[in-house]
Amino acid sequence: MPDQAVKGKVAIIGAGDVGATTAYALMMSGSVSEIALVDIDHEKAEGEAMDLRHGAAFVKPVNIYAGDYEDAHDADVVIIAAGASQKPGETRLELLERNVDIFHDMVPRITDGLADDAVVLVVANPVDVLSYVTWKVSDLPWHRVIGTGTVLDTSRFRNVLSKNCNVDARNIHAYVIGEHGDSEVLVWSATHMAGVPFDDYCPVCDKDCDLNNRDLIADEVQGAAYEIIERKGATYYAIGLATTEIVESIIRDENSILTVSTLMDGQYGLEDVYLSLPAVVNRGGIRRVVDLDLDENEREQFIESGELLSNEIAKLDI
């Protein structure tokens, strides 16, 4: 039987580097049939949509256009990639406060009139706090407001492990959890190569492998964004692909397990804060969160990550 025609609409709020690259990745994936680009600079959104449409002959049919907030109301997934960028000399908290003000105005315009089964996916940074703000401002159920979280960090972890252990990244199971940021936690206790724990695989690796490489691997994963920004000014290709992975899981009702940012409801003693843990993602958003059997050090690091973000949230006027 021929493949069923792909149906699914995505609205992307913010047509900057991340928003436009995500639109390109979605177009190339063939996973959606309609993409609306919405930006305060409508002409910029029109230019991006036009540029993407000119590749129509090389991809599966997809309608791409510049729209406005109302075009998000019948979308299956709304991606929020808009927000203020950090100014020279501006603190992270000051940036947070400016973005909270922006989200207070923007989110209701997106979510008032939103379809009952639509999922809101936050990409803008700091993604965990802004996902929490989106949930609070929108009054949507928590499972329909998701942050991209550490999906990208997890991919970075697998990539670095792939280089270190000479194993295809697709055959590595590994997770990064907690904050998408400096307090993120690499879960070594759940890292496997084809079902073999990392500590068991590493000594028989055909490369010159040393268990002490853990610190070097962690440094490379956690410092990746800083290194890229120093070299080219911003990161957008990999986050575009990570966002597409999440969207596909929603649109196709895949029940994929992804380390998205979601509301903590007692996990490891944490509540009322958004953090990343492996979660089953499908058409309804998050079906359930998976509790990992963390070792004592990982558990402590995860709790510290949550407390750090809770303290940031407490300083905001939400």
Side-chain angles (χ1 to χ4, degrees):
M1 293 179 61
D3 292 340
Q4 186 177 1
V6 174
K7 292 184 179 180
K9 177 179 177 179
V10 172
I12 301 176
I13 314 301
D17 289 337
V18 172
T21 305
T22 299
Y24 176 74
L26 283 167
M27 181 183 80
M28 293 297 293
S29 74
S31 56
V32 297
S33 58
E34 186 174 350
I35 301 171
L37 281 172
V38 180
D39 197 279
I40 192 170
D41 184 349
H42 190 74
E43 190 170 331
K44 171 74 160 60
E46 286 181 330
E48 296 290 359
M50 184 184 298
D51 194 6
L52 290 165
R53 284 198 303 271
H54 289 172
F58 312 118
V59 297
K60 292 180 180 179
V62 54
N63 180 23
I64 305 175
Y65 57 93
D68 52 32
Y69 288 118
E70 283 71 26
D71 288 295
H73 293 169
D74 63 344
D76 299 289
V77 181
V78 179
I79 298 170
I80 301 180
S85 299
Q86 197 162 358
K87 296 178 179 178
E90 185 177 36
T91 67
R92 187 169 179 268
L93 182 58
E94 288 169 341
L95 172 63
L96 264 177
E97 289 171 343
R98 285 203 298 129
N99 269 327
V100 168
D101 290 340
I102 291 170
F103 272 53
H104 265 295
D105 174 65
M106 176 177 63
V107 170
R109 298 172 69 182
I110 296 168
T111 57
D112 289 352
L114 197 65
D116 290 340
D117 59 349
V119 176
V120 176
L121 177 59
V122 180
V123 184
N125 280 317
V127 67
D128 304 293
V129 177
L130 291 181
S131 297
Y132 178 87
V133 171
T134 300
W135 169 63
K136 293 289 283 188
V137 172
S138 69
D139 203 31
L140 290 171
W142 66 269
H143 59 88
R144 289 173 52 205
V145 179
I146 305 173
T148 50
T150 57
V151 173
L152 172 55
D153 309 83
T154 292
S155 178
R156 287 171 174 158
F157 189 20
R158 292 171 64 185
N159 170 254
V160 177
L161 285 170
S162 173
K163 293 187 299 180
N164 187 78
C165 300
N166 200 22
V167 174
D168 189 333
R170 293 172 297 179
N171 299 124
I172 297 172
H173 275 84
Y175 300 111
V176 176
I177 61 174
E179 177 198 13
H180 172 57
D182 295 341
S183 70
E184 65 186 25
V185 182
L186 279 64
V187 187
W188 291 101
S189 63
T191 300
H192 294 78
M193 282 70 169
V196 179
F198 175 79
D199 286 355
D200 294 336
Y201 185 88
C202 204
V204 297
C205 178
D206 60 3
K207 289 187 68 178
D208 183 16
C209 195
D210 186 342
L211 288 176
N212 292 327
N213 284 2
R214 280 191 182 192
D215 289 342
L216 295 175
I217 290 170
D219 288 344
E220 187 171 350
V221 173
Q222 293 168 335
Y226 296 113
E227 199 166 337
I228 294 167
I229 290 169
E230 183 179 345
R231 283 167 166 74
K232 58 174 278 188
T235 67
Y236 37 86
Y237 292 125
I239 187 60
L241 290 169
T243 304
T244 296
E245 182 82 359
I246 300 168
V247 171
E248 287 181 338
S249 183
I250 296 167
I251 295 289
R252 297 175 176 172
D253 201 26
E254 289 179 344
N255 289 305
S256 298
I257 295 180
L258 300 166
T259 53
V260 292
S261 187
T262 186
L263 184 67
M264 295 294 99
D265 186 26
Q267 289 88 352
Y268 311 104
L270 295 170
E271 293 184 337
D272 201 38
V273 63
Y274 264 64
L275 286 169
S276 289
L277 281 173
V280 180
V281 180
N282 64 14
R283 189 63 188 80
I286 292 179
R287 197 185 85 201
R288 71 181 183 92
V289 178
V290 179
D291 291 336
L292 293 170
D293 185 16
L294 304 175
D295 66 29
E296 184 176 348
N297 184 52
E298 292 162 350
R299 181 183 290 265
E300 289 177 358
Q301 289 179 327
F302 183 79
I303 292 171
E304 288 174 2
S305 185
E307 290 175 344
L308 183 151
L309 291 180
S310 291
N311 290 336
E312 292 290 288
I313 290 170
K315 298 172 186 176
L316 302 175
D317 181 20
I318 302 177

